[in-house]
């Protein structure tokens, strides 16, 4: 009797979790496996399955001779190098300041976090106005302090990518700061009190206590920021469309172009899989390095 009741309870549990499994299979597992299959074909969304043929590794080989894809990879790497170190350092400093006694602490926290929850479209439109070469407030400010040769920003091959980096840093600052503030709560205050007794100043405590104790938080943010940088799409597509030329073309935006503008779904799927493998490899390498660092710490 007891075993029958147990079996009935188990089936009830299965019924409860079944919608999650069904949703996972339909909306995640099947599309992922289908994209892997499509990456080995020349699937065109307008020709349908009848016009699809197997091309083997042709799509993957094509990437290494596609100058647009190579430019997108280069821009993504520059984007990571130009944004993540600044983002990490600024977030840690702001979190440390906001974690201490500051005037209007809650208001300042909300102010820092607002860009993260704001609409990407609204943010892009505002920054496009600010970056306007002739009427934008940024160039007007630069001219007011005596700089005559102001940047062309989004219309300049040299300045378009740095302009997008500035927007990305501004948008990501709130999330990173909040995570660092959560990490700061876990640091034992006795460490700071002992350091103060030994005569350490604020900078020394920040360098020798705060930074090392936040290493696991820094690792987490570095991983999520790198993954986020490879997925950069909204601001690029709205503000520059990948231009001028190849100056701001990034991988996610080029995948979108290949799939939905040029209708080369097979090629787009193959690039998406290379992107996935790249992100997974970076995560594994960083995980190994972090583990070694934690063991030595």
């Amino acid at each position: 009797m007891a075993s029958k009741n147990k079996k009935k309870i188990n089936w009830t549990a299965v019924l409860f979790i079944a919608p999650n499994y069904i949703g996972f299979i339909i909306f995640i597992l099947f599309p992922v496996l289908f994209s892997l299959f499509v990456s080995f074909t020349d699937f065109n969304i307008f020709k349908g399955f009848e016009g699809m043929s197997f091309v083997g590794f042709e799509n993957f080989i094509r990437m290494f001779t596609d100058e647009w894809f190579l430019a997108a990879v280069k821009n993504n790497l520059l984007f990571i190098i130009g944004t993540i170190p600044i983002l990490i350092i600024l977030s840690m400093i702001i979190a440390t300041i906001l974690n201490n006694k500051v005037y209007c602490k809650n208001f300042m926290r909300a102010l820092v976090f607002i860009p993260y929850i704001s609409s990407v479209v609204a943010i892009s439109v505002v920054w496009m106005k600010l970056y306007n070469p002739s009427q934008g407030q940024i160039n007007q400010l630069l001219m007011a302090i005596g700089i005559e040769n102001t940047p062309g920003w989004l219309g300049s091959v040299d300045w378009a990518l740095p302009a997008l980096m500035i927007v990305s840093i501004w948008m990501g600052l709130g999330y990173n700061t909040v995570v660092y503030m959560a990490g700061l709560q876990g640091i034992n205050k006795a460490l700071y009190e002992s350091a103060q007794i030994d005569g350490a100043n604020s900078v020394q405590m920040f360098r020798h206590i705060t930074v090392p104790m936040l290493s696991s938080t820094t690792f987490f943010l570095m991983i999520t920021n790198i993954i986020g940088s490879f997925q950069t799409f909204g601001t690029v597509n709205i503000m520059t469309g990948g231009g001028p030329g190849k100056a701001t073309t990034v991988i996610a935006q080029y995948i979108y172009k290949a799939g939905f503008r040029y209708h080369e779904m097979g090629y787009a799927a193959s690039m998406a899989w290379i992107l996935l493998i790249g992100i997974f490899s970076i995560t594994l390498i960083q995980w190994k390095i972090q583990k070694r660092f934690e063991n030595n710490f």
Side-chain angles (χ1 to χ4, degrees), residues 118-139:
S118 300
S119 162
V120 173
V121 176
I123 288 172
S124 301
V125 171
V126 170
W127 277 94
M128 284 168 73
K129 293 284 183 187
L130 293 174
Y131 280 138
N132 188 294
S134 57
Q135 299 176 341
Q137 285 76 5
I138 294 175
N139 275 1

Side-chain angles (χ1 to χ4, degrees), residues 104-125:
C104 295
K105 184 186 286 186
N106 291 333
F107 174 73
M108 296 300 290
R109 287 176 178 175
L111 203 64
V112 172
F113 196 68
I114 282 174
Y116 181 71
I117 58 173
S118 300
S119 162
V120 173
V121 176
I123 288 172
S124 301
V125 171

Side-chain angles (χ1 to χ4, degrees), residues 9-81:
I9 291 169
N10 287 341
W11 276 111
T12 304
V14 169
L15 287 174
F16 270 110
I17 63 174
N20 281 333
Y21 278 104
I22 293 170
F24 172 77
I25 291 169
I26 294 174
F27 297 110
I28 296 178
L29 185 61
F30 175 72
V32 168
L33 295 178
F34 182 69
S35 72
L36 180 61
F37 167 72
V38 167
S39 66
F40 293 100
T41 69
D42 61 351
F43 181 51
N44 184 313
I45 197 167
F46 288 105
K47 292 180 182 176
F49 292 107
E50 293 177 354
M52 183 170 66
S53 58
F54 184 74
V55 296
F57 287 94
E58 190 178 304
N59 287 330
F60 293 92
I61 296 169
R62 178 184 164 186
M63 280 179 231
F64 297 99
T65 56
D66 183 352
E67 59 180 22
W68 283 88
F69 177 75
L70 296 177
V73 173
K74 177 188 166 190
N75 288 337
N76 257 122
L77 293 176
L78 289 174
F79 202 88
I80 290 169
I81 294 168

